[in-house]
Amino acid sequence: MKKTSTRLADGRELIYYDLRDDTVRDAVDRRPLERTVTTSQVRRDPLLGDDVAIASHRQGRTYHPPADECPLCPTQGDRLSEIPDSSYDVVVFENRFPSLAGDSGRCEVVCFTSDHNSTFADLTEEQTRLVLEAWTDRTSELSHLPAVEQVFCFENRGAEIGVTLGHPHGQIYAYPFTTPRTALMLRSVAAHKEATGGENLFDDIVEKELAGERLVLATDHWVAFVPYAAHWPYEVHLYPRRRVPDLLGLDEDARTEFPKVYLELLRRFDRIFGEGEPPTPYIAAWHQAPFGTLDEFEGVNRDDFALHLELFTIRRTSGKLKFLAGSESGMSVFINDIAPESAAQRLREVAS
């Protein structure tokens, strides 16, 4: 992998990740852009105790442009985009309309391929490995920013999810706090550790699922299963067999095997609802241990957390979506229309 860092016309950082070490990246952003001005701030909710990002400047962000005006495609002639070069393998750049910025963190866009009409599932294993290396590198770099406590790499796919740019891409959020979902996990890990005399909750969950009916696939270095209390119609959790707190902790064997495993899961998701169905909308989310202090979670350290990826869709059946209505949105109590055991069985049936 070759990494080349440059700057866009408005001063934002852009980084090329290339498969070939001899690739030269010297294209200049020719757009007449002024420096990005953001109004992003983080406010603490005193009642719920969580944090909310206020980012009113995002109302003006690019919204469903036609394919020939896609800002994530490479620049071609006078058709200028966010990527100055005429081709790329993987690119990461600072979001022009960030939810978090400055003392409030940082937001980045990850373009998985220059091919506008493909999806992540269409990537080769070599390209997928390069995306993994980009995620890992960005996690490392962002973790050293003074304002950052947690790094979140994720992909939203599909208009049903709310995606406004059709090009295959994901995002990275670098939060200035530990996210509420991660805090809940850490509290559960702490309680389990105390109740069992030191056992790890993540390890116990993976061990149980390996022997159960919700297992989707298992390889030498990875395990994928539908969780016992799945929130979403089709939801898979992917864990490395060796517990590590973040992407940086993955060993070479796990990195080498990841592309085949992950691409298989994504392709199964596209086959859930049968032939002729549109691509399955999904969210793919990496959960990593915070880099900040864990003092509030008594008895727990970073090594107690287990890196894992959660992949889920809001489509519950052909032509029907799972909406977050009163119980989910109002009280955070999910109601799932599909039994996790049935979802796991379906995901095994559609194996390639």
Side-chain angles (χ1 to χ4, degrees):
M1 179 191 78
K2 181 180 180 181
K3 175 183 175 182
T4 306
S5 179
T6 185
R7 293 282 172 179
L8 296 173
D10 55 6
R12 289 175 294 131
E13 185 179 19
L14 180 143
I15 306 163
Y16 295 96
Y17 293 90
D18 287 295
L19 293 168
R20 293 174 54 96
D21 290 337
D22 59 352
T23 303
V24 176
R25 298 295 186 187
D26 55 7
V28 176
D29 185 3
R30 294 180 280 130
R31 297 173 297 171
L33 298 179
E34 297 182 356
R35 288 209 167 254
T36 300
V37 177
T38 68
T39 59
S40 177
Q41 58 178 286
V42 173
R43 297 184 182 181
R44 187 77 170 176
D45 185 325
L47 190 61
L48 297 180
D50 59 7
D51 298 278
V52 178
I54 308 297
S56 57
H57 62 278
R58 283 174 53 78
Q59 286 283 28
R61 66 187 184 275
T62 308
Y63 187 79
H64 292 299
D68 60 357
E69 296 179 15
C70 175
L72 306 185
C73 287
T75 290
Q76 298 292 336
D78 293 331
R79 182 174 169 276
L80 309 180
S81 75
E82 289 279 66
I83 296 91
D85 217 322
S86 58
S87 66
Y88 63 84
D89 292 333
V90 173
V91 166
V92 177
F93 60 88
E94 288 184 77
N95 198 319
R96 190 177 177 187
F97 304 96
S99 302
L100 305 165
D103 292 339
S104 297
R106 176 158 157 153
C107 292
E108 298 182 340
V109 176
V110 184
C111 297
F112 304 135
T113 171
S114 60
D115 183 357
H116 180 86
N117 296 312
S118 67
T119 69
F120 200 122
D122 296 323
L123 299 183
T124 65
E125 291 185 20
E126 185 180 35
Q127 289 172 304
T128 302
R129 172 64 186 263
L130 185 61
V131 174
L132 176 62
E133 295 308 319
W135 282 331
T136 304
D137 180 71
R138 296 315 301 152
T139 296
S140 176
E141 293 291 327
L142 293 170
S143 71
H144 289 95
L145 296 181
V148 173
E149 286 196 14
Q150 188 171 2
V151 179
F152 176 46
C153 307
F154 64 100
E155 179 193 1
N156 299 328
R157 188 182 84 164
E160 300 95 327
I161 296 293
V163 175
T164 57
L165 296 176
H167 196 101
H169 73 287
Q171 300 181 65
I172 302 175
Y173 277 22
Y175 297 102
F177 50 80
T178 296
T179 61
R181 188 173 177 85
T182 302
L184 286 173
M185 293 184 195
L186 289 168
R187 292 189 187 101
S188 296
V189 169
H192 185 80
K193 190 174 185 179
E194 181 178 5
T196 60
E199 293 186 14
N200 183 272
L201 177 58
F202 290 110
D203 292 349
D204 289 350
I205 288 174
V206 171
E207 183 179 359
K208 181 177 181 179
E209 296 295 352
L210 270 170
E213 58 183 322
R214 290 179 296 275
L215 186 67
V216 174
L217 64 84
T219 63
D220 290 343
H221 303 285
W222 294 89
V223 176
F225 56 86
V226 177
Y228 170 72
H231 289 56
W232 301 96
Y234 290 92
E235 175 181 344
V236 174
H237 293 191
L238 177 64
Y239 281 77
R241 282 186 182 260
R242 184 178 69 86
R243 173 165 43 92
V244 295
D246 51 44
L247 289 165
L248 284 71
L250 291 175
D251 60 25
E252 182 59 28
D253 289 336
R255 291 180 182 279
T256 299
E257 195 178 66
F258 172 77
K260 183 177 181 179
V261 173
Y262 188 48
L263 291 173
E264 172 65 16
L265 285 178
L266 292 180
R267 291 162 186 171
R268 289 192 195 189
F269 257 59
D270 275 341
R271 292 193 291 267
I272 291 174
F273 303 103
E275 295 294 331
E277 288 291 321
T280 302
Y282 66 73
I283 292 176
W286 280 110
H287 291 265
Q288 306 191 80
F291 289 93
T293 176
L294 300 183
D295 292 346
E296 65 179 293
F297 310 103
E298 189 173 349
V300 172
N301 56 52
R302 291 193 79 249
D303 290 335
D304 289 317
F305 194 87
L307 167 76
H308 62 284
L309 182 139
E310 297 184 7
L311 173 66
F312 61 89
T313 180
I314 62 171
R315 185 179 292 165
R316 56 187 176 89
T317 189
S318 180
K320 298 179 181 179
L321 301 180
K322 164 65 178 177
F323 292 102
L324 298 189
S327 186
E328 292 88 354
S329 295
M331 295 302 288
S332 294
V333 178
F334 275 70
I335 301 170
N336 193 348
D337 301 303
I338 298 177
E341 294 75 18
S342 299
Q345 180 179 348
R346 180 57 180 160
L347 286 162
R348 292 192 298 269
E349 290 173 349
V350 295
S352 58

